[in-house]
Every structure is written in structure tokens, then in C-alpha cells.
Amino acid sequence: MITIKKSATADTRTCDWSKVTKEQLRESTEQHRDDVMKGLAFFMELIREAGERHDFDKLNDLDGFHRDFQTGFKQTEWWDNHRKIARHHLLSEDGIPEDVNLVDVLDMITDCVMAGMGRAGSVYPLEIAPETLMKSFQNTVELLKAEIVVEA
């Protein structure tokens, strides 16, 4: 959980701005910057974890991966399961998790760019469905909100 303190003097929409001193505004701003750093650290940890998890099943089920690979993916038993358990296959309808988030989007972008550049020296055009991107955005908002505890 991310613990932050209530800030009563940082926003003209939620306080009587005419009574906020310069020192209070400075303190509120420093507190806000610290809170943002905590939130971004949360996302950095999620991104690190996504990197560690990336394509884990290619190694955990190397036999299945190799079996499908050897058919040029005409046989797709492993591949069909991979899209369901990996969170980054957002260009396939059955690869989009219900709780898709922007970490998944960054994982997908990184996967496609690294694979394309490393294998072919180029990246094919990437287009994500706008509704997937918007769902990712909203789910990421909810993901962060669920981690926040506000102290009085």
C-alpha cells in the first residue's frame, strides 16, 4: 500500500486559496511531489515484475513451445494457451486480459520493438484498438487508486 497524507492547501478547487501562505504552498507542493514519486515507484515495480514474467511459459513449457514452433505455428496448442496467460498479446482479441492496464501496453510495445529490431531489424506497424487502450487507461487508474491509503 502507498500511504499519503491529506493535503488541505494544495489546490484552489479544494481550499480557500486566499488564506494559504507561501510556506504552506511550498510544503503542500513538496508533499505532492513525494506522493507522485511513490506512485511512480509503484508503477516501476509493476514494470519490473512484468519484465521478469515476460514469456516465462516459453521456458517452463519449452517442449510445447518448440512443438508449435516446429510447425510454423500451424499447430497452435501452446500458442493458444500463451495468449491467455501472457498479458502482453493485446493485438489478439483472446490475448487481452479483463484487467488489462498500461503496464501490459508497455510490455506489448517493448516486446514488439525488441523482437522486431532483434529479429528483422525493423518493427511492423503496431495498432492497438482504441477501446483496449482506454480500458487499459481506466484500469490503471483503478489499480493505483486501490493502492492508496490517505492519512488524515
Side-chain angles (χ1 to χ4, degrees):
M1 297 303 292
I2 301 169
T3 302
I4 63 174
K5 293 183 179 164
K6 185 142 179 71
S7 177
T9 61
D11 189 337
T12 58
R13 298 168 295 183
T14 58
C15 73
D16 182 352
W17 48 268
S18 67
K19 295 185 172 133
V20 176
T21 67
K22 189 188 302 184
E23 181 60 24
Q24 287 173 313
L25 189 59
R26 184 189 64 73
E27 288 174 11
S28 292
T29 300
E30 287 175 355
Q31 177 183 325
H32 172 67
R33 287 172 46 93
D34 185 55
D35 293 345
V36 169
M37 287 192 315
K38 290 176 183 177
L40 290 173
F42 170 70
F43 288 129
M44 290 182 340
E45 178 62 17
L46 292 180
I47 291 168
R48 186 193 63 73
E49 290 172 2
E52 288 181 356
R53 262 191 329 268
H54 187 87
D55 286 349
F56 69 93
D57 60 317
K58 286 183 176 180
L59 299 176
N60 287 353
D61 184 13
L62 188 57
D63 290 337
F65 177 37
H66 186 252
R67 188 173 49 249
D68 281 10
F69 190 88
Q70 286 288 283
T71 70
F73 288 100
K74 289 180 178 74
Q75 176 178 310
T76 62
E77 181 182 344
W78 176 88
W79 171 239
D80 292 341
N81 187 58
H82 175 69
R83 290 190 315 277
K84 291 176 184 142
I85 64 172
R87 298 186 57 91
H88 61 274
H89 286 282
L90 307 180
L91 304 181
S92 300
E93 188 68 33
D94 66 348
I96 303 170
E98 186 60 34
D99 61 344
V100 63
N101 60 59
L102 292 175
V103 173
D104 302 326
V105 173
L106 290 172
D107 190 11
M108 180 203 75
I109 292 169
T110 305
D111 182 41
C112 293
V113 171
M114 295 303 182
M117 294 304 291
R119 297 171 185 166
S122 63
V123 179
Y124 60 82
L126 299 174
E127 291 186 24
I128 191 169
E131 57 273 11
T132 300
L133 196 53
M134 185 50 80
K135 186 174 186 178
S136 300
F137 180 87
Q138 294 299 336
N139 285 345
T140 304
V141 170
E142 295 305 317
L143 183 65
L144 181 57
K145 281 172 42 179
E147 287 295 311
I148 305 294
V149 174
V150 181
E151 289 182 344

